[in-house]
Amino acid sequence: MCRIFAGQDPDRYTLETRRMRLNGQSTSIRLEKSFWIILDEIAASEGLSTPGFVSKLHAEVLELHGEPANFTSLLRCTCLVHRENPLEAETRQMAAE
């Protein structure tokens, strides 16, 4: 079993830093490439650029809960929620069309 996880392409977990603006503030976010790929997919399904989606998510989190203690962890968990709820994501995309 561990060979499936241990044998994955190291490029999947290479860290990538992207610079963007979150609600007018310039910042950089560092995530594994696999998470950026998923965030790119989510953003595209929402009709947004990835920086636009991340900024919108940040604004909504601020409104609901205040400043998150660890925004990159929230982004990773966003990717997990997206993968755990594929039907919901597909329904949202069909409604947008």
Side-chain angles (χ1 to χ4, degrees):
M1 175 190 72
C2 287
R3 293 184 68 82
I4 292 169
F5 304 117
Q8 67 182 301
D9 182 354
D11 191 51
R12 289 176 46 93
Y13 53 88
T14 297
L15 290 170
E16 179 179 312
T17 303
R18 295 193 188 179
R19 295 205 43 81
M20 60 184 68
R21 294 183 88 62
L22 291 182
N23 306 309
Q25 298 291 326
S26 182
T27 190
S28 58
I29 298 175
R30 189 173 175 181
L31 290 169
E32 294 80 3
K33 284 186 179 182
S34 293
F35 289 111
W36 282 120
I37 290 168
I38 297 169
L39 288 171
D40 292 341
E41 289 172 10
I42 297 169
S45 74
E46 296 288 327
L48 297 167
S49 65
T50 301
F53 170 74
V54 171
S55 186
K56 183 176 179 180
L57 176 63
H58 185 260
E60 289 181 14
V61 169
L62 283 175
E63 185 178 310
L64 290 171
H65 305 289
E67 186 66 48
N70 188 334
F71 189 63
T72 54
S73 290
L74 183 133
L75 290 173
R76 288 182 187 95
C77 288
T78 297
C79 294
L80 292 174
V81 168
H82 177 73
R83 289 291 198 235
E84 290 167 358
N85 299 300
L87 251 128
E88 186 177 316
E90 185 177 314
T91 302
R92 212 173 37 244
Q93 184 174 0
M94 289 184 341
E97 295 171 350

